């Protein structure tokens, strides 16, 4: 359920906006940046991608190098699995990043590190300790065998806990065992540097407990990646269905109920081509909290779905100039209740939303959502905010 993509490459049209740190790194490495115009009318430094390696993109996210990712498609149905895989990749990237930050905070607060800092003020360890990436890589390489042994010391007791837990099904046990190993593999080099440095000290067992507690916590959080991805796909599919139905009515007047025409693959292909020609796309944006200028917001993720129509630019300009556009705002539950029923889609959306709400509450993830609609156009902006 919670596996990340196994494909070597994913094919989705992405705009990847970089954080200040990410842009600086790209410039230092002589990588070309583009000026990107995003759907919310902002301009960002970044890159465009049509095909990409998911793991390479995940590494950029883990380094806090990415501030926003945007994808635009006329329809999501044919790319359903790619969209789900990509959404899960982003959610897990956030979880891996927050897990590593939490472990670092707790390690630095451990007695063994505090004792060292008191005794060696000139070799003080905190979250601002300047250790070069080259030094960290050298330590990881030199002590690779020792780190593998430490991983087993961390994982073996947790694996035994999971297997003994009678509340878990066999499938859940297998999922959790794989999940904690994956989380541990994403622990930052600075964390491993601290763990290796103090591995011969008397307080080392406390450090092992810190990592185990982090894994216990994030093992549960990892289960919501599927719910978020299904919820996102459901929202995007609803927007897609609305756009296609509107276009079908324009293209095939007199053919009866327009929804029936959408099941014809030839007709559907023609409608999609017309949506592309008119630039009537559905946009999905993932905005990451993080970077050195976002203290306290590193664990935030905002997912926004924009259903953009021809009047978007005029509406946006009006909002920016007058700041008094007539807006209506409702929560996501009301949004789904008010949708016209299209083959049970409304019920499906509420079903996913109910599970997402419950799953977030159970693992202490903050979740909020709202829908903004511009009264002067058909533009709908759907926001889902998560605090990991």
């Amino acid at each position: 359920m919670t596996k990340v993509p196994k494909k070597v490459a994913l094919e989705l049209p992405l705009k990847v906006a970089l954080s200040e740190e990410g842009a600086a790194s790209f410039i230092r490495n002589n990588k070309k940046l583009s000026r990107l115009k995003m759907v919310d009318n902002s301009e960002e430094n970044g890159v465009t991608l049509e095909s990409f390696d998911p793991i390479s993109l995940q590494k950029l996210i883990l380094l806090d190098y990415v501030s926003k990712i945007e994808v635009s498609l006329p329809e999501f149905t044919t790319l359903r699995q790619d969209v789900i895989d990509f959404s899960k990749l982003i959610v897990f990237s956030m979880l891996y990043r927050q897990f590593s930050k939490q472990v670092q905070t707790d390690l630095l607060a451990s007695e063994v590190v505090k004792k060292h800092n008191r005794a060696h003020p000139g070799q003080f360890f905190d979250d601002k300790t300047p250790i070069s990436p080259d030094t960290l890589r050298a330590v990881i390489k030199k002590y690779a065998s020792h780190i593998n042994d430490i991983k087993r010391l961390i994982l073996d007791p947790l694996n035994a806990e999971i297997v003994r837990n009678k509340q878990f099904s066999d499938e859940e046990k297998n999922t959790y065992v794989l999940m904690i190993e994956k989380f541990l593999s994403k622990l930052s080099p600075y964390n491993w540097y601290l763990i290796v440095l103090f591995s011969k000290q008397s307080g080392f067992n406390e450090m092992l407990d810190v990592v185990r507690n982090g894994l216990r916590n994030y093992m549960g959080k990892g289960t919501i990646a599927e719910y978020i991805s299904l919820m996102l796909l459901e929202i995007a599919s609803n927007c897609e269905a609305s756009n296609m139905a509107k276009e079908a009515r324009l293209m095939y007047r007199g053919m009866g109920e327009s929804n029936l025409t959408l099941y014809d693959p030839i007709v559907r292909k023609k409608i999609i081509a017309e949506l592309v020609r008119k630039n009537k796309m559905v946009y999905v944006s993932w905005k990451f909290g993080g970077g050195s200028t976002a203290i306290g917001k590193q664990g935030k993720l905002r997912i926004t779905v924009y259903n953009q129509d021809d009047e978007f630019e005029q509406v946006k300009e009006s909002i920016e100039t007058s700041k008094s556009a007539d807006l209506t705002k409702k929560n996501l539950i009301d949004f789904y209740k008010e949708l016209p029923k299209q083959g049970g889609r409304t019920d499906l959306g509420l079903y996913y939303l109910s599970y997402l709400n419950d799953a977030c509450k159970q693992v202490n993830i903050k979740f909020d959502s709202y829908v903004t609609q511009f009264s002067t156009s058909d533009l709908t902006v759907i926001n889902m905010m998560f605090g990991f």
Side-chain angles (χ1 to χ4, degrees), residues 98-114 191 194 206-207 209-215 217-218:
Q98 289 308 110
F99 162 71
S100 202
K101 288 180 184 295
Q102 185 60 59
V103 168
Q104 178 178 305
T105 297
D106 293 343
L107 286 177
L108 291 171
S110 65
E111 283 302 317
V112 64
V113 175
K114 289 195 292 187
N191 279 316
L194 292 173
E206 181 189 355
M207 301 186 92
D209 284 337
V210 161
V211 182
R212 289 193 196 105
N213 288 335
L215 289 171
N217 184 21
Y218 278 84

Side-chain angles (χ1 to χ4, degrees), residues 1-200:
M1 175 173 105
T2 51
K3 293 180 181 178
V4 296
K6 293 182 178 180
K7 287 186 176 182
V8 175
L10 284 177
E11 295 183 2
L12 290 171
L14 300 185
K15 290 181 180 179
V16 181
L18 299 177
S19 64
E20 291 183 11
E21 297 94 331
S25 176
F26 270 55
I27 292 170
R28 282 196 304 270
N29 289 281
N30 297 316
K31 294 182 179 179
K32 186 178 179 180
L33 296 180
S34 300
R35 195 66 177 165
L36 306 177
K37 184 69 171 290
M38 313 301 281
V39 65
D40 62 2
N41 232 25
S42 65
E43 291 189 2
E44 307 279 354
N45 291 316
V47 295
T48 58
L49 303 171
E50 295 293 334
S51 177
F52 57 94
D53 174 19
I55 301 304
S56 296
L57 182 59
Q58 185 175 76
K59 287 179 180 178
L60 295 179
I61 298 172
L62 294 178
L63 289 168
D64 289 340
Y65 282 2
V66 178
S67 63
K68 188 187 297 183
I69 297 176
E70 184 178 291
V71 61
S72 59
L73 293 167
E75 58 93 29
F76 286 73
T77 303
T78 56
L79 292 172
R80 173 185 173 86
Q81 194 57 53
D82 282 350
V83 173
I84 289 176
D85 286 346
F86 184 61
S87 174
K88 288 161 67 174
L89 179 85
I90 289 179
V91 175
F92 271 106
S93 297
M94 286 293 297
L95 291 170
Y96 294 150
R97 195 173 74 178
Q98 289 308 110
F99 162 71
S100 202
K101 288 180 184 295
Q102 185 60 59
V103 168
Q104 178 178 305
T105 297
D106 293 343
L107 286 177
L108 291 171
S110 65
E111 283 302 317
V112 64
V113 175
K114 289 195 292 187
K115 182 179 179 181
H116 168 87
N117 286 342
R118 288 193 296 266
H120 306 88
Q123 298 176 338
F124 196 89
F125 287 105
D126 63 11
D127 58 357
K128 295 181 178 63
T129 301
I131 302 177
S132 72
D134 289 340
T135 298
L136 294 176
R137 282 192 291 267
V139 169
I140 298 299
K141 183 177 181 180
K142 180 178 179 180
Y143 294 97
S145 178
H146 185 40
I147 289 173
N148 284 333
D149 291 339
I150 294 173
K151 284 182 178 180
R152 293 270 44 102
L153 288 175
I154 294 169
L155 290 173
D156 285 348
L158 279 181
N159 288 336
E161 282 181 25
I162 292 169
V163 172
R164 288 197 304 266
N165 195 319
K166 295 181 180 180
Q167 295 182 347
F168 297 155
S169 67
D170 288 343
E171 181 181 357
E172 287 173 327
K173 290 177 182 179
N174 290 332
T175 296
Y176 290 143
V177 166
L178 292 172
M179 193 182 296
I180 60 174
E181 187 169 351
K182 191 67 174 179
F183 268 98
L184 192 58
S185 73
K186 300 299 181 181
L187 198 60
S188 73
Y190 183 49
N191 279 316
W192 284 119
Y193 180 87
L194 292 173
I195 292 170
V196 168
L197 184 65
F198 294 102
S199 61
K200 304 298 182 183

Side-chain angles (χ1 to χ4, degrees), residues 266-280:
I266 297 176
V267 171
R268 184 179 177 86
K269 187 175 180 180
K270 289 180 179 179
I271 293 173
I272 292 171
E274 188 66 9
L275 290 172
V276 172
R277 187 186 72 81
K278 293 181 177 180
N279 197 32
K280 290 186 176 180

Side-chain angles (χ1 to χ4, degrees), residues 169-345:
S169 67
D170 288 343
E171 181 181 357
E172 287 173 327
K173 290 177 182 179
N174 290 332
T175 296
Y176 290 143
V177 166
L178 292 172
M179 193 182 296
I180 60 174
E181 187 169 351
K182 191 67 174 179
F183 268 98
L184 192 58
S185 73
K186 300 299 181 181
L187 198 60
S188 73
Y190 183 49
N191 279 316
W192 284 119
Y193 180 87
L194 292 173
I195 292 170
V196 168
L197 184 65
F198 294 102
S199 61
K200 304 298 182 183
Q201 302 296 319
S202 59
F204 178 58
N205 284 335
E206 181 189 355
M207 301 186 92
L208 297 183
D209 284 337
V210 161
V211 182
R212 289 193 196 105
N213 288 335
L215 289 171
R216 288 187 186 99
N217 184 21
Y218 278 84
M219 177 181 78
K221 293 181 188 292
T223 60
I224 63 102
E226 183 90 359
Y227 296 125
I228 293 176
S229 302
L230 289 173
M231 188 73 243
L232 171 60
L233 187 68
E234 170 64 11
I235 292 171
S237 297
N238 264 312
C239 293
E240 162 199 325
S242 174
N243 288 350
M244 294 189 73
K246 289 178 185 177
E247 199 60 36
R249 285 194 291 270
L250 291 174
M251 294 174 65
Y252 298 98
R253 291 173 182 169
M255 286 185 63
E257 176 56 48
S258 62
N259 283 340
L260 297 178
T261 67
L262 303 181
Y263 292 99
D264 186 317
I266 297 176
V267 171
R268 184 179 177 86
K269 187 175 180 180
K270 289 180 179 179
I271 293 173
I272 292 171
E274 188 66 9
L275 290 172
V276 172
R277 187 186 72 81
K278 293 181 177 180
N279 197 32
K280 290 186 176 180
M281 313 289 272
V282 178
Y283 293 78
V284 179
S285 169
W286 294 264
K287 185 176 181 180
F288 302 89
S292 58
T293 60
I295 304 302
K297 296 182 180 179
Q298 290 89 343
K300 306 291 185 182
L301 175 65
R302 178 189 293 266
I303 303 175
T304 308
V305 181
Y306 300 82
N307 197 14
Q308 184 182 27
D309 72 340
D310 292 337
E311 298 178 45
F312 174 75
E313 291 301 333
Q314 295 95 307
V315 173
K316 186 67 179 176
E317 183 179 352
S318 174
I319 294 168
E320 291 180 341
T321 54
S322 68
K323 302 297 182 183
S324 59
D326 182 16
L327 304 180
T328 58
K329 188 175 179 180
K330 64 189 75 174
N331 62 41
L332 197 53
I333 293 176
D334 291 336
F335 171 76
Y336 269 100
K337 285 180 178 177
E338 293 176 17
L339 281 176
K341 297 207 172 199
Q342 300 171 351
R345 295 201 65 85

